[in-house]
């Protein structure tokens, strides 16, 4: 699954998780009913989203989301920047 629209991604992720859980339940049910000890192919979810998507978009005028800063530059949250996260989130 891939995207950058939070509302669409929320729905897509919910549907994807539901499908994965249903697949796992079928695998488990089959193993219990038939005593099948084979190694099944378990579902896997691969997520593609913008780097730093859930963090602040811009801090001190610098783009964070989608850049190297999203995972390599620590953000200050201290007594002089107590609302950094909240203020930056709005972007």
């Amino acid at each position: 699954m891939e995207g950058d629209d939070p509302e669409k991604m929320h729905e897509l992720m919910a549907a994807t998780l539901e499908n994965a859980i249903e697949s796992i339940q079928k695998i488990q049910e089959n193993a219990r009913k038939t005593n099948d000890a084979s190694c099944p192919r378990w579902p896997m979810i691969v997520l593609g989203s913008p780097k730093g998507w859930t963090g602040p978009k811009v801090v001190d005028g610098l783009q964070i989301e989608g850049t190297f800063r999203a995972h390599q530059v620590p953000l200050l949250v201290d007594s002089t920047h107590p609302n950094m996260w909240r203020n930056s989130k709005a972007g």
Side-chain angles (χ1 to χ4, degrees):
M1 54 180 287
E2 183 176 1
D4 60 4
D5 181 324
E7 286 187 37
K8 290 179 183 177
M9 288 296 287
H10 180 78
E11 290 180 29
L12 182 58
M13 185 64 170
T16 301
L17 285 172
E18 187 173 332
N19 289 338
I21 290 168
E22 287 173 2
S23 294
I24 291 169
Q25 289 172 335
K26 287 178 184 176
I27 291 168
Q28 291 173 331
E29 182 180 352
N30 178 60
R32 290 178 183 128
K33 283 184 177 178
T34 65
N35 205 21
D36 183 2
S38 66
C39 185
R41 294 188 67 145
W42 294 94
M44 179 175 78
I45 299 171
V46 178
L47 172 64
S49 64
K51 191 172 187 176
W53 190 31
T54 59
K57 297 185 183 313
V58 176
V59 173
D60 294 335
L62 297 173
Q63 180 72 28
I64 301 295
E65 182 181 271
T67 71
F68 71 94
R69 292 179 191 93
H71 295 285
Q72 294 181 3
V73 178
L75 299 177
L76 293 176
V77 179
D78 58 16
S79 60
T80 57
H81 302 88
N83 296 318
M84 175 64 74
W85 176 260
R86 195 175 352 200
N87 292 338
S88 302
K89 197 99 167 122

